[in-house]
Every structure is written in C-alpha cells, then in structure tokens.
Amino acid sequence: MDRSNQTSPMAGFILLGLSAHPKLEKMFFVLILLMYLVILLGNGVLILVTVLDSHLHTPMYFFLGNLSFLDICYTTSSVPLILDSFLTPRKTIPFSACAVQMFLSFAMGATECVLLSMMAFDRYVAICKPLRYPVVMSKAAYVPMAAGSWAAGSSSAMVQTSLAMRLPFCGDNIINHFTCEILAVLKLACADISINVISMVVANVVFVGSPVLFIFVSYVFIIATILRIPSAEGRKKAFSTCSAHLTVVVVFYGTILFMYGKPKSKDPLGADKEDLSDKFISLFYGVVTPMLNPIIYSLRNKDVKATVRNLIFRKHFTQ
C-alpha cells in the first residue's frame, strides 16, 4: 500500500460508535449508564461482603471477589468511553489512550477466562476431593492462583497491544466501533498483520480454548460425583454450590463464541447490518455480562444473601 496514504498515529483515532444511528444514541446512553451503575453497585457489594464477613474468607469467595473487582475494572476501561461516544459524534481518542484502553480490555478478558477455570478447579476439589480440600486449596495455593491469572492476562494483553500499536495506519484512522477493539483497529493497518493474527489465535487457544476444556472436564467429574451421592438433598446441595459459577461460565463463553464464531457476510448491505450487530453483541459482552455476574451469585448463593441481609439489618438497627 502507498505509504503516502498513511497517517500519523499521534493524530489518534476516530470512534464512530452509533453516530450513524442518532436516535439510538440517547436511548443507549441512558440504558448503558444505568447498567454501569448496577455493575458498580452489585460488584462493589459483593467485594464488601466477601471482605467483611469472616465466614466468606474461603477460596471460592476470594475468587469471586477477584471476579467482581475485575468486572469493575473492565467496564470502567470502556463504558465511560462508550457513554462519551453517544454524546460526541465521531469521538476522537488519542493514540496512547487507545492503546491503554485496548490493553485493559484485553487483559481483563483474558484474566477472567483463567479465573473462571480456577473457580472450576476449586469446585472440583470441594466436591470430588472434600477431605483434601483444606490442603489443596490452602491460602498458600489459591492466592498465587489468582495472582497468576492476573499476571497471565496482563502479559498476553501487553503482547497483543504492542503488536497492534506498532503497525502503520492508513486513511482517516476511523474505528467503526465504540472502543479501541483490537479487531476493529487491525482493519486500519497498512502492513501485513499475519503475526497479529497468529498471536491472537495462540492467545485464543490458551485463554479461551484451554480454560473451556479445563472447565468442561472439571464439571464432567463434578457431575459424575454428584450423581453418586445417595440422597436427593445431598445432590441438590452439592449442585447448588457450583450452579452460579456454571451459569456465569455459560453466559460469558457463550457470548464470546457467538461474537467471534458467527460467519461474516460478503454482501455490502449485509456487512453494514453485521457491523451494527457486532457492536450490540460487544455491548452485551462488555456491559450486560458484568452486570449479570453479581446478580447470579446473589440470587443463587445462600451465604451471600444471608450476609447482605445481616449487613442491612445491622446497619438499620445501629442508626
């Protein structure tokens, strides 16, 4: 491609968002703002509950606290930018800010994949190896497991972001998205992106394929163990301890597979509709899923509900 058509990355990028659909912008601004407030409140309450209640100082709730903190970080890295794009047509974002936003969103997504697999392992040990649980899932084990999840996700994000941001970009640097989504940014590159594609395939295998396989195998053993429990009450109690996690896994990975696994349209008119569809799916993945996580864990977990009631009750009667 002609190098004269390249633009300086320092000029930044332009985010189109929903500028082609102005009637939708006001509605989505209110909707996304409300969802963001629910995310902050719901995940903030879960973190507070897992810290204040000593009965919840267990590996499962430690991982849950990490997941809630991750959801707050992930949405905070993108939602304010999305809200601003609804108010400012053709929102301009500096190159450095785009790189930071891309890094944070990729890091949080990769870290969540690993965290969910760590939570599956915790449930496997609790149900299939209950006598060894205190030893296998000791504090000396589950804290490094969580730290390793954050380190692995951040390392992968650093590689993907540096590879993407070193590319030369062409034209007006217009990103047809709400945020600096890495696939949307790569479409603007003037150079060969085969290395980027290969690195993303490897990252997807490591951070999506491997955790999904690990979770699947863990739940095969978990379900087999639950079915061998003689009493119906015992089976119900055992399944209830992992039903919330399984629900979150299905919602999280289901959205990822639907977002990246659906076929691409070759028709220009169909491609326009597909771009709009991709944006809505991305919104669901980036906003709705983090909002559902605390709701799912609150509704399906008796310990969390009991702790929240106790905190509210205590606050009410101490005033």
Side-chain angles (χ1 to χ4, degrees):
M1 184 172 289
D2 186 1
R3 294 277 177 174
S4 63
N5 290 331
Q6 294 182 21
T7 55
S8 170
M10 295 305 164
F13 296 97
I14 297 173
L15 301 172
L16 289 186
L18 288 176
S19 57
H21 306 274
K23 292 183 179 179
L24 293 176
E25 288 185 317
K26 293 181 180 179
M27 180 183 72
F28 272 94
F29 176 84
V30 176
L31 186 62
I32 299 301
L33 178 60
L34 291 176
M35 288 182 176
Y36 183 51
L37 294 176
V38 172
I39 290 169
L40 296 179
L41 178 62
N43 286 289
V45 167
L46 270 182
I47 294 173
L48 189 64
V49 163
T50 57
V51 170
L52 294 181
D53 192 340
S54 59
H55 295 94
L56 301 183
H57 291 175
T58 63
M60 181 176 73
Y61 293 106
F62 178 77
F63 288 131
L64 179 57
N66 273 264
L67 184 63
S68 295
F69 179 69
L70 184 150
D71 283 339
I72 290 175
C73 292
Y74 178 77
T75 52
T76 301
S77 72
S78 59
V79 171
L81 190 61
I82 294 172
L83 293 174
D84 192 25
S85 72
F86 291 146
L87 300 177
T88 309
R90 298 172 68 87
K91 168 69 179 177
T92 301
I93 179 173
F95 182 81
S96 58
C98 185
V100 170
Q101 193 274 319
M102 183 188 297
F103 167 80
L104 289 175
S105 61
F106 204 102
M108 297 303 105
T111 301
E112 183 161 356
C113 290
V114 182
L115 266 179
L116 288 175
S117 66
M118 295 296 100
M119 294 173 78
F121 178 73
D122 172 72
R123 292 300 83 206
Y124 161 77
V125 178
I127 294 174
C128 301
K129 310 287 183 182
L131 296 180
R132 298 190 60 194
Y133 184 78
V135 176
V136 176
M137 295 303 297
S138 63
K139 190 172 183 179
Y142 67 76
V143 172
M145 286 167 66
S149 300
W150 286 91
S154 299
S155 299
S156 177
M158 182 63 71
V159 171
Q160 301 303 328
T161 303
S162 60
L163 285 176
M165 292 295 102
R166 71 175 177 79
L167 294 169
F169 297 99
C170 305
D172 296 324
N173 285 0
I174 297 177
I175 300 176
N176 190 18
H177 214 279
F178 299 110
T179 62
C180 291
E181 203 270 338
I182 190 166
L183 296 180
V185 172
L186 290 179
K187 290 180 181 179
L188 306 179
C190 300
D192 180 23
I193 62 170
S194 56
I195 294 178
N196 302 77
V197 173
I198 293 172
S199 66
M200 287 194 66
V201 169
V202 172
N204 286 336
V205 170
V206 173
F207 290 96
V208 179
S210 298
V212 166
L213 180 61
F214 185 84
I215 292 170
F216 175 77
V217 173
S218 297
Y219 272 99
V220 168
F221 285 106
I222 289 171
I223 293 172
T225 302
I226 290 176
L227 293 177
R228 288 197 297 266
I229 298 175
S231 67
E233 184 64 28
R235 290 194 295 270
K236 182 180 179 181
K237 184 178 180 181
F239 184 74
S240 67
T241 64
C242 54
S243 60
H245 173 257
L246 189 57
T247 304
V248 169
V249 166
V250 170
V251 172
F252 179 76
Y253 283 108
T255 307
I256 291 178
L257 293 175
F258 184 76
M259 182 164 54
Y260 292 108
K262 62 189 182 69
K264 299 297 181 181
S265 173
K266 296 181 180 180
D267 176 48
L269 296 177
D272 291 338
K273 294 180 180 178
E274 188 176 84
D275 286 339
L276 186 60
S277 173
D278 287 344
K279 291 177 185 179
F280 288 146
I281 296 171
S282 178
L283 275 181
F284 182 90
Y285 170 75
V287 181
V288 179
T289 302
M291 183 186 70
L292 290 178
N293 287 352
I295 295 175
I296 292 170
Y297 273 102
S298 298
L299 292 178
R300 303 187 69 87
N301 193 296
K302 294 180 180 179
D303 293 332
V304 172
K305 288 191 288 187
T307 302
V308 172
R309 283 197 300 266
N310 290 338
L311 289 175
I312 295 175
F313 182 81
R314 188 187 307 165
K315 182 179 179 180
H316 176 75
F317 281 92
T318 54
Q319 287 179 345

